Amino acid sequence: MRPDYRLEHALILTMNADREIIPDGYVEITGDFISAIGPMSELKHYAEPVSVLNLHNRLVMPGLVNCHTHAAMTLLRGMADDLPLDVWLRDYIWPAEAKFVTAPNVFLGTQLAIAEMFRSGITMFADMYFFEDEVARACADAGMRVLAGEAVVDFPSPSHATPEETISHILQLAEKYKGHPLVNIAFAPHSIYACRKEILERIEKESRNNGIPVHIHLAETKGEVENCLTNSSLRTVPYLETTGLLNNRLIAAHMVHIDEAEAGIISDNNVKIVHNPSSNMKLSSGWAPMELYNRYGITAGLGTDGTAANNNLDLFNEMRMTALTNKLVTGDPAAMPAQRAVEMATIGGAKVLGMDDRIGSIEPGKAADLLIARLDQPHLTPLYNIWSHIVYAMHSSDVESLFVNGRLVMHNHEILTIDVASVMREAAGLHKKIESAIKEAIPQPTV
Amino acid sequence: MRPDYRLEHALILTMNADREIIPDGYVEITGDFISAIGPMSELKHYAEPVSVLNLHNRLVMPGLVNCHTHAAMTLLRGMADDLPLDVWLRDYIWPAEAKFVTAPNVFLGTQLAIAEMFRSGITMFADMYFFEDEVARACADAGMRVLAGEAVVDFPSPSHATPEETISHILQLAEKYKGHPLVNIAFAPHSIYACRKEILERIEKESRNNGIPVHIHLAETKGEVENCLTNSSLRTVPYLETTGLLNNRLIAAHMVHIDEAEAGIISDNNVKIVHNPSSNMKLSSGWAPMELYNRYGITAGLGTDGTAANNNLDLFNEMRMTALTNKLVTGDPAAMPAQRAVEMATIGGAKVLGMDDRIGSIEPGKAADLLIARLDQPHLTPLYNIWSHIVYAMHSSDVESLFVNGRLVMHNHEILTIDVASVMREAAGLHKKIESAIKEAIPQPTV
């Protein structure tokens, strides 16, 4: 069969089990899949591809996996910063969300988020928000891979009146997108404090019966742990264990305030975790004990969290942040070496989302989700070690082109599947309305 | 007089004393200087400029000031990472420096560093290295502003046999560059542990007599403080006070391990300090107490440190890092707000280098050192607050054009004053030699 693309003369970071690096290699893409990979010296010209890209001085690596975000919050990026968490939520984020989280706005905000994520090399993200049908639609349109998690809360959400209604809706969504090449659906109970126990148990049952992943915020703040202890005499992980949700379908984001016993439980139950360094720092939530998780062999990915908290969707930042901050907090310059940060952003993230049989490495038979980045730049010269370069020196803007599921969604920095100018114009228009609404409530200095 | 340039319709962050922001403004440049600034609505067309740039959807702000680096170490970027400090220095950096720090290599490495710094909006840097005459020449050629600090050490340096010889050389350099529009010269005694007391005192005397700034590493590691206590029964700041060097000409980089009494001494003596967040994190040196310095009203700038330790020369990274990490270490989300990080990278840095009468803000009469950045990007949409955008969302690659001293050194991402391709080619060639030399000593995994 004739391949659609052959990428030639690239430095290829495979992220296969041996973490093999091919200095002058090729990758062939046929349909959705990677059909061949190897050194240029071993290329066999059985069938000439439709398109050949000469990638001299380019890096090819798996697309990055953003394991925790709230994509549509791009519309609230920079609305309020440098504030205590309660003021930030109560006076800014919640009033804005109450008024502006509608189906069309979620679609728009997600399109904007996808554009930003494509530009920084992200080929899949796990979302937790409202109107996830719109998130799924935006991703399917743009060619982005997604695990779309509709948020479940005890109180009425912008999309549903009750948690029961939300759960039924998620089951319908899962049915609707069954077998979709890009979209998977998750339950996203917001947290143990926003979902009562019966709801968590109901989600556990449906998750088990239907094989649907569950995406939750867990142990994000000290207050969450203290409240859990007060209400249940248990820390957050043992409390969640009583609901049955601690299993290999659970994606637990943040995991900041965890003790060693809890790390053992997480490991025993094969729960996957997501580290969100920038968000945890910006909101002063604390620091997730990544070296502890590493000792317990816990599968970990990286997340940007939403842009209201970060304020960007850039996993190059998160890789650098996790490598640098783990060195600071442990006092050990050998902690979180560059390679491990890259693993978390690629194959680790794929494992967290239960997708490592399809994505996370460049190997024949896997989906063609990969990024192409320029290396011929002053800040990337000279090149001694590619791991170090990716984590400590590269900018997300070095990503030049991007394939998702065999489709070229960005070429030479130009996004081919979204009308970015129109999306930006619409978002800028909406922002003026949001800003006025917030200003009515609380005067704040803005530009 | 006819202006050379008028930048029109830009969002202007002046960084003047009122931190005034002009949403739709203009800046006129005549010769080296800013000759006018204001809102477009008040523009008077007295004399039409030679060139007009329409900067709709662009930010104009003062060029960034990198207060501490070792520019030529770009050649060693990524040579060795994630290692304990002693192994890193002893087995990698020092052997490489002993063999490869030559006048032509310093010139080359500095050119590469200037290219990277221009691309990320830096218009002035304070350097500490060897062969600083070459650094000065590279900067003068490329149109970069510099405080070139020749390193003084007790032992033979790559450029000089004795510290006395180095001091004489620095005095000659200062004479040579007197009145130069871009180049200033500094004494750069490496540290209190690499310079004996008599040398520090000699530098103090010459600094005082000639009005030459002094740039030093101070209190970078815990070990440095412990050794100082062992040898002198004093912590590092009181020890340095005995040499007379604690005065308003001193630029003290790192300042990690400082107690409150020392902060008081620093403040009383009007010493300027440089915070190097990424370097301190990557080498696990510790965390500088920036909130303490803020309480004492100490003037602080930001530095990237050398690329062997960072591994980039990107003050957008350092702004984000200082804002996020100060929130983490203090547990206070309101610590180091975005505006303060921007101040450190601009007017604060100018004060640290004793240049705030000439640079650091956009005001008539100041030198035209300014950057132009694109705002019409997905990751910068919508725009609620420009401070937050610069620190938490912007990439250094959003910098599009750059003026230094009225000269357009970069336009639409293209550097106009350095043959970047040729510099990169030469650096890549040299890197192969450095890598072989290091491999002979110690086998290490590289690409």
Side-chain angles (χ1 to χ4, degrees):
Chain A
M1 194 176 166
R2 195 177 174 195
D4 295 292
Y5 294 94
R6 186 165 60 225
L7 319 185
E8 294 190 349
H9 293 295
L11 168 62
I12 303 173
L13 191 69
T14 63
M15 299 311 291
N16 67 14
D18 297 332
R19 305 293 185 254
E20 196 182 347
I21 296 168
I22 307 173
D24 180 31
Y26 74 93
V27 179
E28 282 183 355
I29 298 171
T30 308
D32 303 351
F33 294 102
I34 293 160
S35 45
I37 175 175
M40 286 302 293
S41 57
E42 296 174 13
L43 174 62
K44 308 274 188 304
H45 292 266
Y46 292 127
E48 280 310 296
V50 178
S51 304
V52 174
L53 304 184
N54 183 335
L55 300 182
H56 185 65
N57 275 330
R58 300 293 188 277
L59 166 71
V60 171
M61 65 179 282
L64 307 184
V65 181
N66 183 2
C67 292
H68 177 67
T69 190
H70 316 284
M73 290 184 89
T74 44
L75 297 175
L76 307 179
R77 182 205 314 272
M79 192 184 74
D81 299 286
D82 303 327
L83 293 168
L85 185 65
D86 56 338
V87 177
W88 180 70
L89 279 174
R90 191 189 59 223
D91 293 348
Y92 295 87
I93 299 300
W94 288 342
E97 287 194 332
K99 203 157 172 180
F100 293 98
V101 176
T102 62
N105 288 350
V106 167
F107 185 77
L108 175 69
T110 303
Q111 283 188 305
L112 187 61
I114 295 170
E116 179 179 356
M117 288 194 267
F118 278 169
R119 291 278 286 270
S120 63
I122 293 170
T123 51
M124 176 170 190
F125 69 100
D127 201 51
M128 175 196 283
Y129 212 56
F130 310 104
F131 301 103
E132 287 287 327
D133 202 7
E134 298 296 317
V135 174
R137 186 165 68 90
C139 290
D141 282 5
M144 171 63 104
R145 199 181 292 283
V146 69
L147 179 63
E150 178 80 20
V152 187
V153 289
D154 284 341
F155 40 91
S157 86
S159 35
H160 298 286
T162 66
E164 291 81 4
E165 189 185 315
T166 312
I167 290 170
S168 305
H169 175 70
I170 293 167
L171 291 170
Q172 287 162 21
L173 280 183
E175 195 56 40
K176 175 175 171 184
Y177 286 101
K178 192 169 271 181
H180 193 283
L182 292 171
V183 176
N184 284 285
I185 300 296
F187 289 105
H190 177 277
S191 55
I192 57 171
Y193 54 90
C195 290
R196 61 185 191 275
K197 200 170 173 192
E198 302 73 55
I199 296 300
L200 295 174
E201 286 167 342
R202 171 80 196 285
I203 289 172
E204 191 280 320
K205 187 179 137 234
E206 299 294 356
S207 158
R208 184 164 23 92
N209 290 344
N210 299 280
I212 298 174
V214 178
H215 184 175
I216 195 168
H217 293 123
L218 191 63
E220 181 174 3
T221 65
K222 213 170 148 208
E224 179 185 341
V225 177
E226 284 164 0
N227 288 339
C228 189
L229 277 166
T230 304
N231 297 335
S232 69
S233 304
L234 293 171
R235 290 177 64 89
T236 58
V237 168
Y239 171 76
L240 199 58
E241 198 176 17
T242 67
T243 67
L245 276 172
L246 290 195
N247 57 51
N248 68 356
R249 287 183 307 281
L250 187 69
I251 300 157
H254 296 297
M255 298 294 284
V256 172
H257 298 278
I258 294 290
D259 67 19
E260 181 141 4
E262 289 176 293
I265 301 172
I266 290 293
S267 173
D268 290 345
N269 290 281
N270 202 13
V271 169
K272 316 302 193 306
I273 69 162
V274 187
H275 183 36
N276 296 268
S278 294
S279 164
N280 294 338
M281 293 168 86
K282 185 150 175 282
L283 299 172
S284 292
S285 305
W287 190 253
M290 299 311 295
E291 294 305 305
L292 175 65
Y293 297 144
N294 191 47
R295 265 198 287 124
Y296 276 85
I298 293 167
T299 303
L302 284 174
T304 58
D305 210 346
T307 45
N310 184 325
N311 304 345
N312 59 65
L313 301 168
D314 182 343
L315 285 177
F316 284 91
N317 274 345
E318 303 307 322
M319 283 191 275
R320 186 166 47 244
M321 206 56 89
T322 194
L324 292 182
T325 310
N326 277 291
K327 290 167 175 54
L328 174 70
V329 294
T330 60
D332 175 8
M336 190 60 81
Q339 181 174 335
R340 199 178 336 140
V342 177
E343 288 169 350
M344 287 175 73
T346 55
I347 187 70
K351 286 179 185 168
V352 167
L353 303 188
M355 295 285 292
D356 51 311
D357 58 333
R358 295 187 56 202
I359 64 166
S361 59
I362 304 183
E363 299 180 79
K366 280 206 171 178
D369 287 22
L370 49 86
L371 70 81
I372 299 167
R374 288 189 67 164
L375 294 170
D376 57 341
Q377 297 286 324
H379 64 279
L380 299 175
T381 302
L383 166 58
Y384 289 87
N385 182 303
I386 191 64
W387 304 107
S388 151
H389 254 33
I390 292 170
V391 174
Y392 300 123
M394 210 170 240
H395 306 158
S396 59
S397 52
D398 297 319
V399 176
E400 194 177 53
S401 301
L402 197 69
F403 284 90
V404 184
N405 212 43
R407 180 179 180 192
L408 187 62
V409 295
M410 181 172 77
H411 189 52
N412 289 332
H413 302 283
E414 196 198 340
I415 294 172
L416 306 175
T417 59
I418 298 174
D419 180 349
V420 179
S422 143
V423 167
M424 290 200 296
R425 208 161 39 238
E426 225 182 307
L430 186 62
H431 135 253
K432 289 199 176 69
K433 287 185 204 159
I434 298 176
E435 193 167 54
S436 311
I438 296 293
K439 271 188 181 162
E440 276 170 31
I442 295 155
Q444 58 157 336
T446 54
V447 176
Chain B
M1 194 175 165
R2 195 177 175 196
D4 295 291
Y5 295 94
R6 187 164 60 225
L7 320 184
E8 294 190 351
H9 293 295
L11 167 61
I12 301 173
L13 191 69
T14 64
M15 299 310 292
N16 67 14
D18 298 331
R19 305 292 184 255
E20 195 182 349
I21 295 168
I22 307 173
D24 180 31
Y26 74 93
V27 179
E28 282 183 354
I29 298 171
T30 309
D32 303 350
F33 295 100
I34 294 160
S35 45
I37 174 173
M40 285 303 293
S41 57
E42 296 174 12
L43 173 63
K44 307 276 191 302
H45 292 266
Y46 291 127
E48 280 310 296
V50 178
S51 305
V52 174
L53 304 183
N54 184 333
L55 300 182
H56 184 65
N57 275 329
R58 300 294 188 276
L59 165 70
V60 170
M61 66 180 281
L64 307 184
V65 181
N66 183 1
C67 292
H68 178 66
T69 191
H70 316 283
M73 290 184 90
T74 44
L75 298 176
L76 308 180
R77 182 206 314 272
M79 194 184 72
D81 299 288
D82 302 327
L83 293 169
L85 186 66
D86 55 340
V87 176
W88 180 70
L89 280 174
R90 191 190 57 223
D91 293 348
Y92 296 87
I93 299 301
W94 288 342
E97 287 194 334
K99 201 156 173 179
F100 293 98
V101 177
T102 62
N105 288 351
V106 167
F107 185 78
L108 175 69
T110 303
Q111 283 187 305
L112 187 61
I114 295 169
E116 179 180 357
M117 288 195 266
F118 278 168
R119 292 277 286 271
S120 64
I122 293 171
T123 51
M124 177 170 190
F125 69 101
D127 201 51
M128 175 196 283
Y129 211 56
F130 310 104
F131 299 104
E132 286 287 326
D133 202 8
E134 298 297 315
V135 175
R137 186 164 67 91
C139 290
D141 282 4
M144 171 63 104
R145 199 180 293 282
V146 70
L147 179 62
E150 177 80 18
V152 187
V153 288
D154 284 341
F155 41 91
S157 85
S159 35
H160 297 285
T162 67
E164 290 80 5
E165 189 186 314
T166 311
I167 291 170
S168 305
H169 175 69
I170 294 167
L171 291 170
Q172 286 161 22
L173 280 183
E175 194 57 37
K176 174 175 171 182
Y177 286 101
K178 192 170 270 179
H180 193 283
L182 293 172
V183 177
N184 284 284
I185 300 296
F187 288 104
H190 177 277
S191 55
I192 57 171
Y193 55 89
C195 290
R196 61 186 191 276
K197 200 171 173 192
E198 301 72 56
I199 296 300
L200 295 174
E201 287 168 342
R202 169 82 195 284
I203 290 172
E204 191 282 319
K205 188 181 136 230
E206 299 294 355
S207 158
R208 183 165 25 92
N209 290 344
N210 299 281
I212 297 174
V214 178
H215 184 175
I216 194 168
H217 294 122
L218 191 62
E220 180 174 3
T221 65
K222 214 171 148 209
E224 179 185 341
V225 177
E226 283 164 0
N227 287 339
C228 190
L229 277 165
T230 303
N231 297 336
S232 70
S233 304
L234 292 171
R235 290 178 64 89
T236 58
V237 168
Y239 171 76
L240 198 58
E241 198 176 17
T242 66
T243 67
L245 277 172
L246 290 194
N247 57 51
N248 68 357
R249 288 182 306 280
L250 188 69
I251 301 157
H254 295 297
M255 298 293 285
V256 173
H257 298 278
I258 294 289
D259 67 20
E260 181 140 4
E262 290 177 292
I265 300 172
I266 291 292
S267 173
D268 290 345
N269 289 282
N270 202 14
V271 170
K272 316 302 194 304
I273 69 163
V274 187
H275 183 37
N276 296 268
S278 295
S279 164
N280 294 338
M281 293 168 87
K282 184 148 176 284
L283 299 173
S284 293
S285 305
W287 191 254
M290 298 311 295
E291 295 304 305
L292 175 65
Y293 296 144
N294 191 47
R295 265 198 286 124
Y296 276 85
I298 293 167
T299 303
L302 285 174
T304 58
D305 209 346
T307 46
N310 184 326
N311 305 350
N312 59 66
L313 301 168
D314 181 343
L315 284 176
F316 285 91
N317 275 344
E318 302 307 321
M319 283 192 275
R320 184 165 51 243
M321 204 57 87
T322 194
L324 292 182
T325 309
N326 277 291
K327 290 167 175 54
L328 174 71
V329 294
T330 60
D332 176 9
M336 189 60 81
Q339 181 174 334
R340 196 170 348 133
V342 177
E343 288 169 351
M344 286 174 72
T346 54
I347 187 69
K351 285 179 184 166
V352 167
L353 303 189
M355 295 285 294
D356 52 310
D357 58 332
R358 294 188 55 202
I359 64 167
S361 59
I362 303 183
E363 299 181 79
K366 279 206 172 178
D369 287 20
L370 49 84
L371 70 82
I372 299 168
R374 288 188 67 164
L375 294 171
D376 56 342
Q377 297 286 323
H379 63 279
L380 299 175
T381 303
L383 167 57
Y384 289 88
N385 182 302
I386 190 64
W387 303 107
S388 151
H389 254 33
I390 292 169
V391 174
Y392 300 123
M394 209 169 240
H395 305 159
S396 59
S397 53
D398 297 320
V399 176
E400 194 176 53
S401 302
L402 198 69
F403 283 90
V404 184
N405 212 43
R407 180 179 180 191
L408 188 61
V409 294
M410 181 172 77
H411 190 51
N412 289 333
H413 302 284
E414 196 198 339
I415 294 172
L416 306 175
T417 59
I418 298 174
D419 180 349
V420 179
S422 143
V423 167
M424 289 200 296
R425 208 162 38 237
E426 225 182 308
L430 187 61
H431 134 253
K432 289 198 178 71
K433 287 185 206 161
I434 298 176
E435 195 167 52
S436 311
I438 295 295
K439 271 187 181 163
E440 276 170 34
I442 295 155
Q444 59 159 335
T446 54
V447 175

